[in-house]
Amino acid sequence: MMRVLIPLTLAASLAAPAFADQKFVPGQSEVAFTSRQMGVPVDGRFRKFDAQVAFDPTQPEAAKINITIDLGSVSLGSPEPESELVKQPWFDTRRFPRASFQSTAVKAVGTGRFEVTGKFSIKGMQRDLTVPVALTRSGEFTIANGSFNIKRLDFKIGEGEWADTGMVANDVQVRFKIALAGVRPL
């Protein structure tokens, strides 16, 4: 009986993806955005976010990616607009403290390039989103870089008088850099 168990255990451990050793590296990661107010670019970022990633570049279709962003951690470099963004017309962090992205599919589109499709949620609104992602190695880390655009009004960001896109543009570009340790080399 022991002779049968050892090969089965070894085969199961070799077949399992090497996801257990993967770790999100927050100090090397970033989630930022650019919006426009009266035609002038306004850059911001989020100080707190988390990523749970299970990814093998040789089997991208098996990947699982979940990113959560603490909307109350928004940083614009000035306390006054930051305190406004957390209020009801904008992020309404009292009712909706987090934004999230959960992957539903990952497809390789070239060497180190992938399309990640998933559900993007902010303020109780959810939309399907496909994001181009480029992977690179930087020392011991695998870096996932990408960007995508959203329409803020699709997520009710800037309600009431702020729904007028003459003052604050509807388009918002979101950029990210997610650093991971323990991902199999490309």
Side-chain angles (χ1 to χ4, degrees):
M1 180 70 158
M2 187 64 128
R3 288 183 191 168
V4 173
L5 285 177
I6 291 173
L8 287 176
T9 304
L10 180 60
S13 68
L14 291 175
F19 297 145
D21 294 334
Q22 293 182 359
K23 302 278 189 260
F24 168 59
V25 185
Q28 300 291 319
S29 301
E30 176 181 61
V31 174
F33 61 91
T34 300
S35 62
R36 291 190 169 276
Q37 187 169 349
M38 296 188 294
V40 177
V42 177
D43 293 322
R45 66 182 185 88
F46 294 96
R47 294 182 301 265
K48 295 179 187 174
F49 55 95
D50 187 33
Q52 297 173 340
V53 178
F55 180 77
D56 179 345
T58 65
Q59 297 178 321
E61 63 282 349
K64 300 289 182 209
I65 302 163
N66 186 23
I67 298 171
T68 56
I69 301 166
D70 177 349
L71 294 174
S73 74
V74 67
S75 174
L76 294 168
S78 177
E80 186 177 330
E82 290 168 5
S83 67
E84 288 300 313
L85 273 181
V86 300
K87 292 181 180 175
Q88 188 276 327
W90 298 98
F91 290 144
D92 194 4
T93 60
R94 185 172 293 165
R95 290 181 47 214
F96 306 103
R98 286 176 284 291
S100 68
F101 176 83
Q102 180 140 20
S103 68
T104 56
V106 178
K107 178 173 83 171
V109 293
T111 303
R113 294 184 8 243
F114 301 86
E115 284 184 350
V116 180
T117 300
K119 304 287 184 185
F120 184 62
S121 301
I122 300 177
K123 215 174 167 184
M125 307 297 294
Q126 186 178 78
R127 299 283 186 266
D128 291 328
L129 186 67
T130 298
V131 181
V133 177
L135 292 185
T136 56
R137 288 294 282 192
S138 178
E140 63 188 87
F141 303 125
T142 296
I143 309 296
N145 283 294
S147 68
F148 57 92
N149 293 323
I150 64 166
K151 303 279 187 195
R152 68 177 177 88
L153 295 177
D154 287 351
F155 297 95
K156 297 185 179 180
I157 299 171
E159 295 181 87
E161 67 182 286
W162 295 107
D164 177 8
T165 58
M167 178 71 97
V168 179
N170 195 23
D171 293 323
V172 178
Q173 182 190 51
V174 179
R175 298 173 310 284
F176 60 87
K177 172 183 155 187
I178 304 294
L180 300 165
V183 174
R184 184 180 302 201
L186 302 172

